[in-house]
Amino acid sequence: MSRTQIVGRRIALFAGAYNHISDGVTLTLNRLVTYLEGHGAEVLVFAPTSKAPPPFEHAGTLVAVPSMPWPGRSDYRLSLGLPRSARARLTVFAPDLVHIASPDYLGAQALQWANAHKVPVVASFHTHFGAYLKYFPSYNRFYRMDLLEGTAWRYGRWFYPQCQHIYVPSQSIADELRARGISKGLRLWPRGVDPEQFRPEWRSMAWRRQLGIADHETVITFVGRLVWEKGLAVFADTISDLGSRGIPHRSMVVGDGPARKRLTDRLPRTIFTGPLSKNRLATAYASSDVFLFPSDTETFGNVTLEAMASGLPAVCANATGSDALVVNNITGFLAAPGDSTDFVKKVQHLICSPTLRQGMGAHARARALLYDWEQVMARIADFYHDIWYRNLSGDKCVNSESEPVLVHAAG
């Protein structure tokens, strides 16, 4: 379908984070805005900001909304709603569609505004809040956020059925939402990867040597924000256990976050590079040998896809997100969530078999090539067009219970 279908359209995007933090969600949303504006649409983004300099230059026009740090997690911002000035700007903008990327208070007020002004609403599911909540006590023992999981799902059952589409990043997330009673309007919108930026050819033995890595050593790498919900405890246990068993390897962590100091204390021999720019990040992936990502809170797993595109076999938790990317025993291994013993077994197998690593890495690269960003973003144009067409034609069946989830060709 031609992308001229979004030329001149106006989309209001509401997000819980857009430029004050660099992670898979914010980078995906920025890429979405770049795509939409590059194809003739106008986009106005409403999101919290922070006083600290943003980690990257955001795409599009951003309207800052009031926010406060999450209790016990100052790196996350909790929006305080849509103030009068922002409402006025939204009214003048007169969007053809409201896209809500986070069902927070800001998202709820955006939904209320859209309903009052008869503007169609869609939502995208980016963060597995139910799974994340159990980790908040790791940061502040006075906040038992894990007890709110049931409330969060009840809120979701109120919020999401009011949206004509819900864009989910993987089939496993769609299945979980259905199991939780959220089934209307589900549409599969996976993430993509740039296969030219992330590729095996970026491997650099010189770069490894600068870090003190010998040419024969097998490097086990984690990439991501250093927060405990990314499975860092399992990563640390796995690396420590490999060492105690005398299995030769080197470990590397790429990224930064509030858990860095504690993780560094637990893994004194691990190389911590901090956050890396695009080219250096691509080199770090390709110069590694195994990607270890034990997170069981992912909705997709952008870093896993980047590692696969770089030719690495991935050892990931057999959980939502990762299970849609890693083909067990083909592109890597899926291990039992939270079970460091299982992770050790599978990582050890790869360390001891260079031929297996190379074969799985080649399969991983081939699978990653199925996730092309242009096609991924083009889906949004198709989905938006479907909303506008159905509303124009008076077809109100968009939220039919029998409506199927659209399955991504790569899945």
Side-chain angles (χ1 to χ4, degrees), residues 70 128-137 145-149 152:
W70 266 89
H128 200 324
F129 288 108
Y132 267 44
L133 288 173
K134 65 185 178 183
Y135 287 94
F136 273 70
M145 302 296 288
D146 55 313
L147 299 179
L148 296 179
E149 182 176 0

Side-chain angles (χ1 to χ4, degrees), residues 56-392:
F56 62 92
E57 185 176 350
H58 69 264
T61 303
L62 174 61
V63 178
V65 301
S67 65
M68 60 176 285
W70 266 89
R73 285 296 305 273
S74 60
D75 51 326
Y76 288 142
R77 305 292 299 181
L78 180 64
S79 66
L80 300 178
L82 194 63
R84 181 177 301 177
S85 59
R87 287 177 183 271
R89 191 159 182 184
L90 179 61
T91 301
V92 171
F93 183 63
D96 298 305
L97 181 139
V98 166
H99 182 152
I100 302 174
S102 180
D104 55 7
Y105 186 45
L106 174 65
Q109 293 209 317
L111 178 64
Q112 181 186 50
W113 183 94
N115 288 338
H117 291 79
K118 302 187 184 311
V119 176
V121 183
V122 300
S124 49
F125 192 92
H126 296 273
T127 304
H128 200 324
F129 288 108
Y132 267 44
L133 288 173
K134 65 185 178 183
Y135 287 94
F136 273 70
S138 299
Y139 300 95
N140 192 321
R141 64 186 178 86
F142 296 107
Y143 294 99
R144 290 301 310 276
M145 302 296 288
D146 55 313
L147 299 179
L148 296 179
E149 182 176 0
T151 301
W153 283 114
R154 285 192 293 273
Y155 173 73
R157 286 189 289 272
W158 169 83
F159 182 91
Y160 286 113
Q162 299 184 65
C163 304
Q164 293 192 34
H165 283 174
I166 308 169
Y167 305 135
V168 295
S170 65
Q171 187 66 52
S172 53
I173 288 293
D175 293 341
E176 178 162 359
L177 288 177
R178 285 184 180 278
R180 297 284 186 169
I182 302 170
S183 60
K184 294 182 178 180
L186 294 174
R187 291 289 185 276
L188 197 56
W189 180 43
R191 306 297 176 255
V193 70
D194 183 346
E196 295 303 313
Q197 177 184 350
F198 299 103
R199 55 190 305 161
E201 289 77 7
W202 281 103
R203 187 175 180 86
S204 171
M205 302 310 289
W207 187 84
R208 287 165 53 109
R209 292 168 193 146
Q210 289 176 358
L211 295 177
I213 301 169
D215 290 1
H216 69 279
E217 289 183 304
T218 303
V219 179
I220 314 301
T221 295
F222 172 96
V223 178
R225 293 195 66 246
L226 301 189
V227 290
W228 294 110
E229 55 264 30
K230 294 296 182 181
L232 294 180
V234 176
F235 178 85
D237 289 343
T238 300
I239 297 301
S240 297
D241 201 359
L242 288 170
S244 64
R245 295 185 185 195
I247 300 167
H249 71 284
R250 292 299 300 275
S251 55
M252 180 168 65
V253 172
V254 178
D256 204 354
R260 178 169 178 170
K261 185 180 185 307
R262 285 174 58 188
L263 189 63
T264 304
D265 292 341
R266 290 190 61 177
L267 299 173
R269 296 188 66 253
T270 294
I271 299 167
F272 286 80
T273 69
L276 298 177
S277 61
K278 288 184 178 180
N279 288 343
R280 294 181 66 205
L281 176 60
T283 299
Y285 276 121
S287 302
S288 302
D289 298 291
V290 176
F291 182 67
L292 175 56
F293 195 63
S295 173
D296 60 1
T297 63
E298 301 304 299
T299 57
F300 184 77
N302 297 62
V303 292
T304 299
L305 192 57
E306 292 169 356
M308 291 168 62
S310 302
L312 297 187
V315 181
C316 298
N318 189 7
T320 55
S322 296
D323 63 359
L325 295 173
V326 178
V327 182
N328 195 38
N329 294 314
I330 302 295
T331 68
F333 293 116
L334 292 171
D339 186 348
S340 60
T341 301
D342 196 23
F343 276 94
V344 169
K345 175 183 176 181
K346 291 176 167 63
V347 173
Q348 180 178 353
H349 191 25
L350 287 168
I351 291 173
C352 297
S353 179
T355 301
L356 180 64
R357 288 203 307 271
Q358 293 171 6
M360 284 188 164
H363 284 298
R365 168 73 179 176
R367 180 162 175 78
L369 294 179
L370 299 173
Y371 291 83
D372 177 73
W373 266 124
E374 180 68 19
Q375 294 184 31
V376 166
M377 289 302 170
R379 282 185 168 223
I380 286 294
D382 290 340
F383 292 152
Y384 288 175
H385 176 77
D386 181 54
I387 293 289
W388 292 319
Y389 175 79
R390 290 185 181 227
N391 286 346
L392 181 64

